[in-house]
Amino acid sequence: MPSFCTPILVLLLVVFGNTSASKADVVWTYDMFLRSDEQAHVPAALEHAINSFVGVGGSSVASQIPSDFLTRSRSASSSSSGSTRVTYTQSRSRRFGGRVTAAAALSGPLSFEGSGLLAYGQSNYELPNGAGVHIQGIDIRFRTVSAELDAALSYRATLFGSVPLKLSAGAGVFHAHTKTSVDSPILRIRESNRDTIPFAVMRFGVRLPEHFGPDVGAVLEIRNYADFGPTAAFEINMRF
């Protein structure tokens, strides 16, 4: 975490500590958001729960549940790796919280933004066919309190003459404290885990025109995690 956070923090200090810019050049905004939950913390949280239950390398039906079932299900079976496709459905995915953002104007429509947030997420997954030799249905639930810090370069424009549009790209870190529950007719696991994961991010956002009243926006966010791969989330937010 420190090696990844350091360049972000240095960049924030360089931009927001620039003595050539007045305080008026930095704009602070605050918003509440509701979005689909993150998934990158799932493998580590589930692996920790299973290992705590059966012991590392232990033998149990619980050890048949692949901690990387989300990424395994993306690809077909591979005889070389031994990985198998796992069928799952996601019955719940939501994340809500608050965020503070500081934006420093650069040139024209460009700006540099740094933001931090706190959030609570809930995700439920059902493995109707079980996993491995365990063919009974398995329910897996994650409850996550998370914090994030990111920095991005943003471009602002206007659609149709009145709809604010913002495109941004940057990087950040996602820190999660996750409580994991695994249930089936013969299993009951309860464990918690902490994980910190760096990511690259792109955002495409629009806001309601000012004459509509409430400052409400929608964002499509695409992230890429080194170990987990790409994820996408849709967000609705309200600015104060």
Side-chain angles (χ1 to χ4, degrees):
M1 177 180 175
S3 61
F4 191 88
C5 287
T6 299
I8 296 177
L9 293 175
V10 169
L11 196 54
L12 285 170
L13 289 173
V14 168
V15 174
F16 297 120
N18 188 347
T19 56
S20 65
S22 68
K23 292 183 179 180
D25 291 328
V26 178
V27 178
W28 294 84
T29 56
Y30 309 87
D31 64 82
M32 302 292 292
F33 63 85
L34 175 65
R35 60 183 294 168
S36 47
D37 198 17
E38 286 300 316
Q39 295 183 314
H41 63 290
V42 166
L46 183 55
E47 181 176 14
H48 176 81
I50 294 171
N51 288 342
S52 297
F53 183 75
V54 303
V56 178
S59 177
S60 166
V61 292
S63 64
Q64 297 292 316
I65 304 173
S67 59
D68 59 347
F69 72 92
L70 288 173
T71 52
R72 283 193 183 199
S73 66
R74 296 175 182 171
S75 58
S77 301
S78 171
S79 57
S80 60
S81 65
S83 64
T84 56
R85 182 186 295 274
V86 177
T87 302
Y88 77 90
T89 59
Q90 187 174 37
S91 59
R92 173 174 292 180
S93 177
R94 62 189 181 193
R95 186 178 185 221
F96 55 90
R99 173 172 46 222
V100 57
T101 302
L106 295 178
S107 175
L110 294 177
S111 64
F112 180 84
E113 297 184 351
S115 65
L117 66 79
L118 292 174
Y120 175 74
Q122 297 179 334
S123 294
N124 293 0
Y125 299 91
E126 298 173 2
L127 280 58
N129 302 319
V133 298
H134 184 47
I135 60 174
Q136 296 173 306
I138 302 171
D139 295 329
I140 307 174
R141 297 183 299 279
F142 301 94
R143 302 294 180 263
T144 305
V145 176
S146 59
E148 291 185 19
L149 173 69
D150 72 54
L153 183 66
S154 296
Y155 173 84
R156 296 177 184 272
T158 303
L159 291 176
F160 312 115
S162 62
V163 180
L165 167 71
K166 184 172 74 172
L167 308 178
S168 61
V173 285
F174 170 64
H175 179 74
H177 181 199
T178 305
K179 293 184 177 180
T180 306
S181 302
V182 180
D183 290 285
S184 80
I186 59 174
L187 285 177
R188 186 179 186 276
I189 303 174
R190 302 289 186 271
E191 277 296 334
S192 62
N193 183 60
R194 296 178 186 270
D195 198 13
T196 300
I197 317 170
F199 61 86
V201 62
M202 293 186 64
R203 299 185 180 100
F204 307 85
V206 295
R207 308 202 71 79
L208 286 178
E210 293 183 0
H211 60 268
F212 276 89
D215 191 351
V216 176
V219 178
L220 173 63
E221 181 179 275
I222 300 173
R223 296 189 181 191
N224 188 67
Y225 295 93
D227 295 329
F228 187 82
T231 66
F234 180 74
E235 171 186 312
I236 297 294
N237 59 61
M238 177 175 289
R239 186 171 293 168
F240 301 94

